[in-house]
DNA sequence: TGTTAGCACTCTATCTCTTTGAGTGCTAAG
DNA sequence: CTTAGCACTCAAAGAGATAGAGTGCTAACA
């Protein structure tokens, strides 16, 4: 396995990614920095095929990379460019002009931007809210027997829900209840809002004010929302204009959110590339998914991924993914270091 | 144009919708309630073709309905079943177990349900919030120099937005500002919150407290959101598993939201069926879109639609659409008659 | 020993030609 | 007015035939 053979493998991958056609020895030989004849390339390619890095659709066709071939290319051969400064600025702009206000928005922007830049589907499984702190709980009358419960976290997540009560509350009841909630929930980490704890709260509350039950119920739901992994998919449409992928498989896969979340949450660090082979749980044939984790402080709090054809410009996509996940990590970790807290003078 | 010819036209439409193949005279003649020979059917079909209701893909193929054919079928010939009671109950369930709390949720549920029931894409252009009343405006401190502005309408719409200020507000400032907002905005119809009026408010405010500008800005944005037509599309994926439609055209069309909104908002009453011919602005070939308006009181406040192949079971889909839009009209008009208003005792 | 030119071989994609059969329109009889 | 019969049409499917891209192998060469 000499240097030239690796160079040829890389060339085959890049050429195949570019054209979508099986690539022949002649095409490789004519590339500028190869400098050997087609016959020599042929010999090397035969060897690369024996080693399982290339394969032929049929005898008289050119070669196509196998999954091992892609893997070797990605791990050893490709030379992803370092992003030039103006590119970084452009990416920062896409994340939100002057730094978006909430984590949620930041992550949404990152997903849209990735989908746009790569012309693939971008996915994110985010559970960063779980690692924020409840900074505010409010109950706001919003109509006849209708009250809105509102939860705000240090990460900038704002959740609300309308609840219907059996009776209207007096100002005094509402005031007491608000105070009780603030005392018991503000400053508490979302991760600590276990179902148990919420049940205890419910019990304590409803013992002394049955009427409030739906409100506590509402808060429980909001806190459950916050603790759950939110899945966001953007740019699915890009996959539908992609020749290589079976539309039906794409639809089935994206429908099956839990499967997708499971794959995204699979714990590892750095970047991971998965290939869809049809037998695995990642079932889109000829596709690949690249996933990168982002953190809040030292804690993994989400996965950002790109789903596209296996024939993908990895050297272009992976730097984007790395940049975004690093940037998200930086921005939300910053927030975490300075958890805000303040009185409500209303 | 006798009765039998109409019967044959209806049979051709229904048979073509069922099978997707051009239908021949023999197939029609063998249907139970036709009772004439294939030759007779052939003669009638030739006439129907002359009149422009049927066409042949090529000389030796069966017949396919033209757009006029579909139109005649929909307007005169089809006999949509009246929904049986248990079906109505099922539909009511799909709209939200015991009547959802907010108009937004109701409309979301209706859209999902339509997509599910018809196996097509369901769309809705909703501007009902425009015809509600602001029932609550709140400013809530949510972190260091971050404040959440919150708008609640009588229709149950809850909008929020985080804003960053240059300085933190004192309790007194916040209190005064809240009071000012409540006085000026609560009880006002969303439709009356013109950009002008908001600008006046901004001017009045910022004259006496520059610091607040981003908050007023935030409220402006929220009110603009409320006044705008919200577009919601569900079940696009169903269109991708549909043989008759060009995937690229589907992607392009759904991307182009403004075009879609324009088509949906086109004013008419009752139900309208549009056919995608490629020349029109509704550009998905071989598709059709059925749109039904819903109202709040006497006012049209939104359009509910189904996009599917032209080869669609209209007799099944249209009753669903009618039922849902009537139901939405009933539910949101109810709300409108009893606009809630209440003090905030916090 | 590694590289290259040459050549026979393989196999798909493409084209043409033929065949098949569903469906028609027309005619003449009922 | 309806129907059986029949010749006709035309797309779809199948069968060769052809072209050409790419291969593996061999033998010569550095």
């Amino acid at each position: 396995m000499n240097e030239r053979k690796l160079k040829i493998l890389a060339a085959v991958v890049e050429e195949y990614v570019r054209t979508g056609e099986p690539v022949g020895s002649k095409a490789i030989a004519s590339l500028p920095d190869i400098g050997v004849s087609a016959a020599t390339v042929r010999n090397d390619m035969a060897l690369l095929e024996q080693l399982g890095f290339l394969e032929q659709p049929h005898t008289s066709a050119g070669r196509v990379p196998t999954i091992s071939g892609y893997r070797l290319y990605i791990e050893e051969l490709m030379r992803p460019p370092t992003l030039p400064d103006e590119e970084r600025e452009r990416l920062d702009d896409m994340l939100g002009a002057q730094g978006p206000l909430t984590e949620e928005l930041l992550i949404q922007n990152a997903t849209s931007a990735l989908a746009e830049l790569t012309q693939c589907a971008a996915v994110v499984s985010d559970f960063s809210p779980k690692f924020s702190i409840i900074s505010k709980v409010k109950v706001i009358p919003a109509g006849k027997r209708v009250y809105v419960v509102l939860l705000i976290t240090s990460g900038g997540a704002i959740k609300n829900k309308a609840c219907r009560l059996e009776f209207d509350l007096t100002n005094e009841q509402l005031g007491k209840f608000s105070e009780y909630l603030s005392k018991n929930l503000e400053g508490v980490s979302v991760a600590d809002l276990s179902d148990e704890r919420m049940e205890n709260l419910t019990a304590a509350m409803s013992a002394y004010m049955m009427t409030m039950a739906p409100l506590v119920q509402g808060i429980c739901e909001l806190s459950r929302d916050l603790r759950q992994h939110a899945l966001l998919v953007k740019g699915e449409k890009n996959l539908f204009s992609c020749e290589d992928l079976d539309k039906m498989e794409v639809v089935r896969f994206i429908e099956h959110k839990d499967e997708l979340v499971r794959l995204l949450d699979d714990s590892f660090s750095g970047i991971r590339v998965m290939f869809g082979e049809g037998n695995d749980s990642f079932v889109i044939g000829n596709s690949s998914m690249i996933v990168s984790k982002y953190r809040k402080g030292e804690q993994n709090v989400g996965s950002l991924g790109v789903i596209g054809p296996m024939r993908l410009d990895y050297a272009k996509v992976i730097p984007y993914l790395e940049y975004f996940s690093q940037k998200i990590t930086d921005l939300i970790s910053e927030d975490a270091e300075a958890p805000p807290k303040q009185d409500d003078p209303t």
Side-chain angles (χ1 to χ4, degrees), chain A:
Chain A
M1 207 46 185
N2 61 26
E3 179 121 5
R4 193 186 58 209
K5 291 190 181 60
L6 294 175
K7 208 172 194 174
I8 289 176
L9 176 56
V12 171
V13 172
E14 280 160 15
E15 204 59 14
Y16 181 62
V17 163
R18 203 172 60 81
T19 66
E21 300 290 319
V23 337
S25 51
K26 227 154 105 185
I28 296 296
S30 71
L31 290 177
D33 63 342
I34 293 292
V36 290
S37 76
T40 309
V41 173
R42 262 203 299 284
N43 290 332
D44 287 353
M45 279 164 89
L47 193 81
L48 287 166
E49 180 164 4
Q50 276 194 350
L51 294 174
F53 297 123
L54 294 179
E55 67 189 345
Q56 289 180 287
H58 54 265
T59 327
S60 70
R63 255 82 170 199
V64 163
T66 62
I67 288 185
S68 319
Y70 279 116
R71 199 161 274 138
L72 181 58
Y73 172 75
I74 292 168
E75 285 167 11
E76 310 282 348
L77 308 178
M78 73 174 183
R79 298 270 165 263
T82 44
L83 298 171
D85 280 356
E86 67 264 23
E87 183 76 359
R88 284 164 189 263
E89 273 172 36
R90 198 167 67 96
L91 298 184
D92 288 349
D93 275 358
M94 291 179 95
L95 282 187
Q98 69 293 22
L101 279 167
T102 68
E103 290 177 3
E104 196 183 347
L105 212 51
L106 173 68
I107 282 158
Q108 272 183 21
N109 289 349
T111 318
S112 307
L114 260 185
E116 171 73 23
L117 289 164
T118 62
Q119 290 295 302
C120 293
V123 294
V124 62
S125 166
D126 177 48
F127 47 106
S128 63
K130 189 170 172 180
F131 297 95
S132 337
I133 288 165
I134 301 281
S135 62
K136 187 68 68 182
V137 191
K138 290 283 254 178
V139 180
I140 300 162
K144 222 163 72 177
R145 276 178 275 150
V146 176
Y147 292 79
V148 171
V149 292
L150 185 79
L151 233 56
I152 303 179
T153 74
S154 57
I158 307 174
K159 294 267 173 191
N160 61 51
K161 186 169 161 47
C163 305
R164 177 162 286 149
L165 295 188
E166 304 266 324
F167 307 98
D168 268 322
L169 300 178
T170 64
N171 286 0
E172 197 200 330
Q173 283 174 312
L174 186 55
K176 253 194 182 151
F177 183 58
S178 289
E179 200 181 321
Y180 181 85
L181 286 178
S182 294
K183 205 170 282 167
N184 279 276
L185 295 179
E186 287 173 12
V188 173
S189 155
V190 173
D192 291 341
L193 294 181
S194 62
D195 273 334
E196 281 173 89
R197 177 162 184 164
M198 294 309 289
E199 267 170 36
N200 289 344
L201 191 70
T202 317
M205 274 317 299
S206 48
Y208 108 95
M209 267 192 264
M210 272 301 278
T211 335
M212 308 296 195
L215 297 179
V216 183
Q217 191 63 34
I219 293 174
C220 285
E221 275 175 46
L222 294 184
S223 90
R224 210 171 302 131
D225 273 7
L226 286 173
R227 263 152 37 221
Q228 239 173 21
H229 296 209
L231 180 69
L232 185 66
V233 184
K234 298 237 179 186
E236 307 96 304
K237 67 169 185 54
N238 291 331
L239 300 186
F240 289 113
S241 19
C242 176
E243 279 294 313
D244 301 15
L245 304 177
D246 182 312
K247 277 71 184 161
M248 295 298 293
E249 287 183 341
V250 172
V251 167
R252 205 177 337 139
F253 184 68
I254 294 189
E255 285 267 270
H256 242 289
K257 308 259 182 199
D258 13 328
E259 197 53 39
L260 185 48
V261 167
R262 208 183 53 69
L263 279 171
L264 285 169
D265 288 351
D266 214 6
S267 65
F268 57 88
S269 37
I271 288 224
R272 171 187 276 188
V273 182
M274 287 172 253
F275 296 97
E277 296 178 81
N279 56 347
D280 205 352
S281 49
F282 177 35
V283 287
I284 310 178
N286 289 319
S287 71
S288 68
M289 175 158 76
I290 318 173
V291 183
S292 172
K293 298 285 182 190
Y294 55 85
R295 300 180 305 284
K296 187 174 215 164
E298 295 305 313
Q299 178 75 45
N300 272 348
V301 296
S303 314
L304 189 59
V306 170
I307 301 174
M310 202 177 296
R311 189 164 83 65
L312 186 66
D313 187 346
Y314 296 95
K316 184 182 118 185
V317 170
I318 290 181
Y320 285 142
L321 205 51
E322 275 176 337
Y323 185 72
F324 278 139
S325 50
Q326 186 56 52
K327 196 83 188 181
I328 292 175
T329 298
D330 291 349
L331 287 172
I332 70 181
S333 298
E334 210 174 84
D335 283 358
E337 282 158 30
K341 189 87 210 305
Q342 198 194 11
D343 284 338
D344 176 3
T346 321

